[in-house]
Amino acid sequence: MKFSHPSADIFVPDASIAPEAALARTTHLCVAAHQDDIEIMAYHGIAECFGRADQWFSGVVVTNGAGSPRSGIYGSYTDAQMQEVRRQEQRKAALVGEYSIQLQLAHPSSAVKDRGNPAVQADLATIFATAQAEVVYLHQPADKHDTHVGVLAHSLAAQRQQPAAQRPKRVLGCEVWRDLDWLVDTDKQVLDAGRFPNLAMALVGVFDSQITGGKRYDLATAGRRVAHATYHTSHATDQFQGITWAMDLTPLVANPELSLAEYTLGYVERLKQDIAARLAKFS
Ligand SMILES: [Zn+2]
């Protein structure tokens, strides 16, 4: 298996499996922008496959992790050293989470933000064609980080090029930079993120270079999941110990003509109608 960037990294935690076979057995696949995004947004998929022989989670990180903030023991690191730290942290997460394969494509953010970038497109097309996963976790389109939305757009384009029969059955847009609590309840895809809480903490915790500067992604991610579970419904008791919300992106893959912008703004419109209908009762 060959990817376009010379620094692309292929890591199979179980060294007895060849990379192609490790990718081909994938049932749950996450394609994310940066190191640590997978563990924040697609924990549901990791937990679904953890400790099982019949379901396999695989992760793809599209960018190289350059330009990330650094402090503490990483304060004097060069950009190249920092990229290596982040690559190793992502490998650690793959090991802890028992992923089938971890791919880090090492593209610069500028390539991801270039809509038609052929190298990014070719890599993702290879991955989707080989993996043929049942469930795919992507960034959600209302995320406020351009690189996240860029990776989402490339991923949708690559899946739309697949023969219809090979496209995933379920495609989910997941929360990182901007959560999805604002979706009206009927639009919410509920992902149980409360299983194996020790594993969940460890998976975000291995990214020390991101946390050490004072950004407690480990605590914030766990807290967001608990908050979603508690604030889901006002009357019922908590069904899950943690929830990650997702937006259903399956229609965008099934129908290549559907506009990502129009589809996303439809969710915003339904939120607007929900608020307006409630206020109308009291005015
Ligand atoms: Zn990110």
Side-chain angles (χ1 to χ4, degrees):
M1 202 156 37
K2 193 96 180 78
F3 296 107
S4 45
H5 200 284
S7 300
D9 186 65
I10 299 173
F11 176 59
V12 180
D14 178 353
S16 68
I17 309 286
E20 288 82 358
L23 184 57
R25 70 180 176 179
T26 302
T27 54
H28 295 64
L29 176 70
C30 177
V31 180
H34 306 106
Q35 290 87 356
D36 84 2
D37 285 337
I38 291 171
E39 291 67 29
I40 293 170
M41 65 193 261
Y43 178 67
H44 173 260
I46 299 168
E48 283 281 286
C49 301
F50 188 72
R52 295 185 58 153
D54 60 337
Q55 296 195 149
W56 289 98
F57 180 86
S58 292
V60 179
V61 173
V62 178
T63 70
N64 57 16
S68 64
R70 61 209 68 177
S71 59
I73 57 172
Y74 310 99
S76 62
Y77 279 37
T78 64
D79 225 34
Q81 286 173 316
M82 202 62 194
Q83 287 181 45
E84 181 55 25
V85 166
R86 300 199 70 184
R87 188 179 299 128
Q88 292 303 332
E89 287 175 342
Q90 188 62 57
R91 282 175 163 233
K92 286 183 202 172
L95 200 60
V96 170
E98 298 181 358
Y99 304 174
S100 189
I101 190 169
Q102 174 66 58
L103 302 171
Q104 300 188 69
L105 304 179
H107 290 290
S109 281
S110 56
V112 169
K113 291 177 194 165
D114 170 9
R115 276 186 63 191
N117 186 282
V120 176
Q121 281 293 303
D123 286 352
L124 291 176
T126 300
I127 291 165
F128 284 117
T130 308
Q132 294 189 26
E134 294 165 25
V135 186
V136 172
Y137 302 84
L138 303 175
H139 287 290
Q140 57 97 354
D143 193 291
K144 59 186 175 183
H145 196 311
D146 276 3
T147 311
H148 288 190
V149 179
V151 167
L152 165 66
H154 280 292
S155 300
L156 288 175
Q159 287 175 99
R160 285 172 160 184
Q161 287 166 12
Q162 288 183 276
Q166 290 175 18
R167 292 177 201 153
K169 294 186 185 70
R170 192 178 190 202
V171 184
L172 297 163
C174 305
E175 46 191 11
V176 182
W177 285 106
R178 183 172 283 144
D179 72 28
L180 290 171
D181 189 60
W182 59 271
L183 294 177
V184 298
D185 283 350
T186 48
D187 277 340
K188 284 183 170 112
Q189 300 288 307
V190 186
L191 305 182
D192 180 2
R195 288 174 292 168
F196 316 115
N198 53 318
L199 178 69
M201 288 301 285
L203 283 168
V204 183
V206 299
F207 294 92
D208 182 64
S209 71
Q210 302 306 293
I211 294 170
T212 226
K215 296 287 279 181
R216 293 304 303 266
Y217 292 113
D218 51 344
L219 301 179
T221 302
R224 176 154 72 183
R225 290 171 187 164
V226 173
H228 285 349
T230 297
Y231 287 105
H232 180 23
T233 50
S234 54
H235 301 300
T237 52
D238 299 354
Q239 188 185 356
F240 300 117
Q241 298 305 306
I243 285 177
T244 298
W245 298 129
M247 187 185 284
D248 184 14
L249 304 182
T250 317
L252 289 162
V253 173
N255 176 9
E257 304 302 314
L258 203 52
S259 150
L260 175 59
E262 274 181 42
Y263 183 79
T264 305
L265 293 175
Y267 287 89
V268 178
E269 183 58 35
R270 290 191 285 283
L271 170 67
K272 182 179 163 187
Q273 288 166 5
D274 180 78
I275 294 169
R278 188 163 300 99
L279 290 175
K281 291 191 251 180
F282 301 102
S283 54

